[in-house]
Amino acid sequence: RDLGDGGDGADKGDNGGSGDGADLENRIREINDFHTYAVYAYACRGLFERHKILLSLQIAIKTMQHDGKLPKDELDFLLRGGTVVDRSNQKPNPAKDMLDATQWDNITELDKLSVFNGIAGSFEQNRREWGKWMLSSAPEQDSLPGEWDNKLTELQRMLIVRALRVDRCLNACTNFVANNMGSEFVEPPPFNLKEVFDTSSPSAPIIFVLSPGVDPTKQVYALAEQMGRKVGDCSLGQGQAPVATKLINDGLAQGNWVFLANCHLAVSWLPALEKIIEDYCETKTFHRNYRLWLSSSPTPKFPLAILQKAIKQTTEPPKGLKPNMIRLYNLISDEDYARCEQGSKYRKLLFCLSWFHSLLLERRKFKSLGWNIPYEFNDSDFQICENILAMYLDEYPDNTPWDAIKYLIAQANYGGRITDDWDRRLCNSYIDQFFCDEAIDTDNFRLSELDTYFIPDDGDMRAYKDYIGSLPLDDHPGCFGQHPNADIASMMTNSKDILATVASLQPRVLSAEGESDDDKVLAMARDLASKVPKPFDTYEAKQVVASRSEPNAPLSSVLLQEIDRYNVLLYEIRESLAGLESGVQGFTLITAELEEIYSAMLAGQVPPAWGKCYPSTKPLGSWVRDLIDRIDFVTEWLEKGPPKVFWLGAFTYPTGFLTALLQTTARKNGVSIDSLSWEFTVNLNDRSAISQAPSTGAFIYGMFIEGARWDYQANSLTDANPMELVADMPVVHFKPVEGKKKPNNRTYFCPLYLYPVRTGTRERPSFVVGVNLDSGAVEPDFWVKRGTALLLATGE
């Protein structure tokens, strides 16, 4: 209808009516709007929920760029933030208690944009107002302090959110898209299989992109029954190729639907399926009612030709504790629910099991504070454990075998998927909390620190479902035993990921102001080349070490190894910067490796070629400053001898340094290194006040706590301050001792990691050592659920 009306408007324009030009423009705009949304709605079908805002934001950016409403310098700041390599000329931070170094970097860079001139100074003038704005739960909706509220456009307000509260940036982007493109672009169309079918044809397969815990088979069969179609289905795997081929041939002839499930389990047969589809599409030998439905988990081996021809549809499980628990209860039939003779005990523990399963699934949203590795628990795990529960309760009616039940659920079944020891500890902590006598004997046994969540009064399945239906839709971090900061950390990661992806999609063009991407990268390369330290003279270093009293001591070997590793990195950086500078100026060809370095520097990221020496998630500016500090530490050690306090984070291989400490003690005491273990004592003195190194072991500084902070008065762990995601850890004495002292029940065994990615990589695991810390006023399990850990480096 819109297109027809548009045609009428065009005819009137030809006749030269007075308002016809405006009518034509309106019709063109309506046609563009119609097709823009049609593209968005169609593409959303094949995108996971977390990627749909990425699509709408990219559409908004491209549309506004076409209309000339998006200044390039402002867009660049939104996507990349402020990158500062050298802080020597930076204005001093007037609010260090309120703004961390990264936020101040962003503000000082933002101040360089003409419209933001003076914003850095406003933090001194309006300190209290800025502090209140930064602590707001939704700062993107609040008024800005001082003149800035009336002075800035919506996009420019978003840049302040990007600079100071990156965790709310995704919310600000959503509002921005809704206000500029329409609310329909942030409200994806709901899943409707009938609409998907209506856009299909016999020659275009329909592919379900699978997620754990979701099976589209029932929906396909329900639609087939509604439309009077016959479905032949087959779950692919070994030996199923002939069955699948016959189903397709029968479907082509008779007009049946064919549903081939789990294509990722038969990747070797998929090229043959591609040939079958190609053949019947070319010859058009298919019944008009025939449809081919496929389901597959994402796999790089899926044939591209099928993907290009097919209609893609994602399937995702419901998000949140409440929808997950309702879904689990829907898996249980009335017969199964009534089969256990220990009725009341079974029903309460079944509720605990569904809560336990939902917690394990939803905890993944907290990223590294949730699980070190995000596990794909599915419905079969729940159903197996439900059978175990019913069987053991009937088998032992008088004395519930808690140890056996907990072992089979947390260790054998769910634990069978868990590969990280620290994640297994978390799973065991949850199972101990929910599967106990108190859960059965206590009325309305609480499942979390919140009063909202408890085991309801015993009743039939309807009563339990009604209670689940009354739970809040939004899951408070307290449900998981987490601090509210965990939500902020998760949102920060999500926002950064989305903005980095949009940044990677931007073309390299000459800006309207005349500064090209080549100019930016060239300036950065020259700046870095002037700041990166020179490599060490290894011959001279060996001579210096050899002149000392113990040239063959383990610590001397560690120092020389570190120098060798840092030299490899420093030579690599200097060589690649020289090559990049020459290539950008057109003197030499830019290789694929230099192209990768160019793209990374433009995005403010560390080039992968530079990250081989030690792992890091820091942006380029912070990484370079950190590298300079590391080289300064090693240089001072080489020139002045072992320091009184060691910076463990400066080592490319911290475990090598710790092993050297153990070797030194073992030689000194004449014992086997295997007989030594660590004892940890927190030293509350500032490291500058420590005048003497310990006789055994070493003082260590430069560690950070994630998921907690250190209480200097109580000398123990305590809850983090609001908005404080990472806190400094005091100096700790790492002391090798003979034998292993058994920790008391107030000691939290805290993992120490190289950097925020707790799993690390296959080549470089992130775990360093477990550190015993005083858990303070709470049980150690409290910190297990908080995901509390020590880090040698942050991501900022």
Side-chain angles (χ1 to χ4, degrees):
R1 188 180 69 250
D2 288 342
L3 294 177
D5 290 345
D8 292 343
D11 290 341
K12 290 177 184 177
D14 290 341
N15 292 332
S18 59
D20 297 339
D23 285 346
L24 179 60
E25 287 183 10
N26 288 335
R27 293 308 177 198
I28 291 174
R29 185 171 63 252
E30 288 173 4
I31 292 170
N32 285 338
D33 291 347
F34 173 84
H35 285 292
T36 302
Y37 181 72
V39 168
Y40 169 75
Y42 183 84
C44 274
R45 289 177 183 168
L47 294 176
F48 289 113
E49 203 65 37
R50 64 183 180 276
H51 296 140
K52 289 175 183 176
I53 183 61
L54 173 64
L55 172 65
S56 55
L57 181 59
Q58 177 71 352
I59 289 174
I61 287 173
K62 288 300 175 188
T63 303
M64 294 180 71
Q65 280 180 330
H66 180 268
D67 295 341
K69 297 178 180 178
L70 209 60
K72 187 175 186 301
D73 55 354
E74 293 180 9
L75 176 62
D76 285 345
F77 187 91
L78 172 67
L79 301 182
R80 300 184 175 99
T83 301
V84 178
V85 175
D86 184 6
R87 287 178 174 157
S88 58
N89 297 321
Q90 190 180 58
K91 295 178 183 177
N93 185 348
K96 289 185 178 179
D97 57 327
M98 188 171 74
L99 298 173
D100 62 29
T102 302
Q103 290 170 322
W104 186 242
D105 284 348
N106 286 333
I107 289 297
T108 53
E109 291 301 295
L110 197 59
D111 195 87
K112 295 176 182 178
L113 303 184
S114 57
V115 71
F116 289 100
N117 284 343
I119 193 168
S122 72
F123 280 85
E124 198 166 357
Q125 302 155 8
N126 303 313
R127 180 192 177 96
R128 182 178 297 177
E129 290 83 356
W130 277 115
K132 183 180 178 183
W133 183 88
M134 287 181 64
L135 290 175
S136 168
S137 58
E140 71 280 3
Q141 298 173 7
D142 292 349
S143 299
L144 290 169
E147 62 177 333
W148 301 103
D149 193 53
N150 299 320
K151 185 177 178 181
L152 304 179
T153 64
E154 186 181 9
L155 173 63
Q156 290 160 353
R157 293 170 66 93
M158 232 165 59
L159 301 192
I160 296 183
V161 176
R162 172 70 171 90
L164 300 175
R165 285 290 303 274
V166 71
D167 59 297
R168 301 297 301 177
C169 206
L170 208 51
N171 301 72
C173 288
T174 302
N175 295 338
F176 179 74
V177 172
N179 293 337
N180 288 277
M181 299 296 296
S183 60
E184 65 272 17
F185 282 88
V186 294
E187 298 168 0
F191 173 68
N192 188 320
L193 196 57
K194 179 66 168 62
E195 289 184 4
V196 175
F197 173 79
D198 290 341
T199 61
S200 69
S201 68
S203 61
I206 302 167
I207 300 176
F208 291 103
V209 184
L210 295 176
S211 295
V214 178
D215 184 4
T217 307
K218 289 182 181 177
Q219 292 167 304
V220 173
Y221 269 89
L223 181 62
E225 184 178 347
Q226 176 188 334
M227 301 188 65
R229 301 284 190 266
K230 183 180 176 183
V231 183
D233 70 281
C234 169
S235 183
L236 293 179
Q238 190 171 5
Q240 295 302 303
V243 178
T245 304
K246 185 177 185 305
L247 284 173
I248 292 174
N249 291 333
D250 292 346
L252 289 168
Q254 301 168 17
N256 300 333
W257 290 3
V258 178
F259 183 50
L260 304 182
N262 301 321
C263 293
H264 58 282
L265 300 180
V267 290
S268 60
W269 179 70
L270 292 182
L273 176 62
E274 178 185 353
K275 185 71 170 63
I276 292 171
I277 295 172
E278 186 180 330
D279 288 345
Y280 71 65
C281 286
E282 284 183 1
T283 58
K284 300 194 182 299
T285 52
F286 46 71
H287 193 286
R288 64 188 181 89
N289 290 335
Y290 164 78
R291 292 293 186 278
L292 177 61
W293 304 77
L294 307 172
S295 73
S296 176
S297 292
T299 169
K301 296 181 180 179
F302 204 96
L304 191 59
I306 300 180
L307 286 175
Q308 290 175 331
K309 188 184 290 288
I311 297 170
K312 276 77 68 180
Q313 174 65 59
T314 54
T315 59
E316 289 188 272
K319 299 290 184 186
L321 294 172
K322 176 178 173 178
N324 268 296
M325 292 184 73
I326 291 174
R327 184 175 58 82
L328 292 174
Y329 265 83
N330 288 336
L331 296 174
I332 303 169
S333 65
D334 292 334
E335 294 78 16
D336 286 342
Y337 191 73
R339 77 184 188 279
C340 183
E341 295 175 5
Q342 303 296 310
S344 175
K345 191 184 293 186
Y346 164 78
R347 288 188 290 270
K348 287 187 175 183
L349 292 182
L350 177 64
F351 187 86
C352 287
L353 181 62
S354 64
W355 174 260
F356 171 76
H357 180 93
S358 302
L359 275 186
L360 299 192
L361 283 178
E362 290 303 306
R363 194 177 167 92
R364 292 180 300 189
K365 71 179 182 178
F366 297 116
K367 306 296 190 288
S368 62
L369 284 172
W371 295 101
N372 286 357
I373 300 170
Y375 301 101
E376 303 292 356
F377 302 112
N378 58 36
D379 293 346
S380 65
D381 297 320
F382 172 78
Q383 291 168 322
I384 291 168
C385 290
E386 185 271 332
N387 286 327
I388 289 171
L389 199 59
M391 182 178 69
Y392 270 78
L393 290 178
D394 279 345
E395 192 75 24
Y396 302 93
D398 300 326
N399 191 12
T400 307
W402 290 119
D403 289 343
I405 289 174
K406 290 193 288 188
Y407 178 84
L408 288 170
I409 293 176
Q411 297 276 23
N413 197 50
Y414 286 93
R417 297 183 185 275
I418 296 174
T419 56
D420 184 275
D421 289 339
W422 303 99
D423 287 341
R424 184 170 283 106
R425 179 178 71 166
L426 170 66
C427 185
N428 289 334
S429 179
Y430 275 139
I431 206 78
D432 288 339
Q433 178 185 354
F434 306 139
F435 285 76
C436 57
D437 287 319
E438 289 80 6
I440 297 171
D441 301 334
T442 306
D443 291 338
N444 299 140
F445 176 75
R446 283 174 57 178
L447 297 169
S448 75
E449 63 191 52
L450 305 173
D451 295 333
T452 317
Y453 300 91
F454 53 84
I455 300 175
D457 296 331
D458 190 31
D460 58 12
M461 186 184 288
R462 182 75 266 157
Y464 279 94
K465 285 185 176 179
D466 287 344
Y467 169 72
I468 295 170
S470 70
L471 295 176
L473 267 177
D474 295 328
D475 302 329
H476 189 279
C479 301
F480 307 85
Q482 282 282 14
H483 190 280
N485 284 353
D487 254 348
I488 296 172
S490 173
M491 289 190 289
M492 284 180 68
T493 304
N494 292 337
S495 294
K496 288 177 180 178
D497 287 348
I498 290 292
L499 293 175
T501 305
V502 176
S504 69
L505 298 174
Q506 301 309 304
R508 296 176 190 165
V509 294
L510 186 70
S511 70
E513 292 77 17
E515 186 184 26
S516 68
D517 291 340
D518 282 356
D519 295 334
K520 289 182 181 178
V521 172
L522 187 60
M524 288 175 69
R526 287 171 175 167
D527 187 38
L528 289 177
S530 67
K531 290 181 172 58
V532 172
K534 294 179 180 178
F536 293 94
D537 184 328
T538 51
Y539 175 78
E540 184 181 330
K542 289 176 181 176
Q543 294 297 107
V544 170
V545 171
S547 66
R548 290 185 180 145
S549 56
E550 293 185 39
N552 297 320
L555 288 181
S556 298
S557 300
V558 168
L559 174 60
L560 293 175
Q561 289 167 1
E562 290 293 319
I563 286 174
D564 287 341
R565 292 191 196 105
Y566 276 121
N567 268 358
V568 172
L569 173 61
L570 295 173
Y571 280 119
E572 170 73 29
I573 293 175
R574 287 182 167 275
E575 184 179 333
S576 54
L577 287 176
L580 186 63
E581 186 175 342
S582 180
V584 168
Q585 291 177 305
F587 300 140
T588 59
L589 287 174
I590 291 188
T591 62
E593 292 78 11
L594 290 177
E595 183 75 23
E596 191 175 43
I597 293 171
Y598 180 104
S599 300
M601 289 177 63
L602 188 61
Q605 298 169 351
V606 180
W610 300 358
K612 294 173 184 175
C613 184
Y614 56 90
S616 176
T617 56
K618 291 179 181 292
L620 183 59
S622 300
W623 185 86
V624 172
R625 289 192 299 272
D626 179 67
L627 174 63
I628 294 170
D629 291 341
R630 286 167 175 259
I631 300 302
D632 289 345
F633 172 80
V634 174
T635 302
E636 187 174 350
W637 182 2
L638 178 64
E639 294 175 352
K640 299 180 181 179
K644 298 178 182 65
V645 187
F646 283 89
W647 177 21
L648 190 58
F651 293 90
T652 57
Y653 278 84
T655 47
F657 169 72
L658 295 179
T659 303
L661 290 179
L662 292 174
Q663 286 177 331
T664 302
T665 303
R667 290 181 185 181
K668 179 181 175 183
N669 297 344
V671 297
S672 165
I673 191 173
D674 295 334
S675 67
L676 297 176
S677 61
W678 291 107
E679 185 179 276
F680 305 96
T681 306
V682 177
N683 189 324
L684 297 180
N685 293 320
D686 187 83
R687 67 183 177 93
S688 60
I690 296 175
S691 58
Q692 189 173 352
S695 58
T696 305
F699 289 130
I700 301 297
Y701 77 93
M703 295 187 292
F704 306 90
I705 315 177
E706 188 176 30
R709 65 182 173 87
W710 195 257
D711 185 338
Y712 280 76
Q713 277 70 42
N715 200 21
S716 66
L717 288 170
T718 191
D719 244 344
N721 294 320
M723 303 289 296
E724 185 182 49
L725 307 182
V726 176
D728 291 335
M729 182 69 190
V731 172
V732 178
H733 182 193
F734 281 50
K735 182 181 180 181
V737 293
E738 288 187 61
K740 194 164 186 179
K741 185 180 176 183
K742 188 176 180 181
N744 61 47
N745 58 4
R746 287 292 179 182
T747 299
Y748 172 58
F749 193 44
C750 182
L752 170 63
Y753 296 102
L754 278 174
Y755 65 129
V757 181
R758 300 186 181 185
T759 49
T761 62
R762 185 182 300 176
E763 297 78 19
R764 288 293 303 272
S766 186
F767 176 70
V768 179
V769 69
V771 179
N772 287 322
L773 298 175
D774 190 331
S775 68
V778 294
E779 296 289 332
D781 271 358
F782 179 87
W783 303 114
V784 172
K785 292 166 193 163
R786 283 284 201 259
T788 302
L790 291 171
L791 303 176
L792 292 180
T794 66
E796 298 295 339

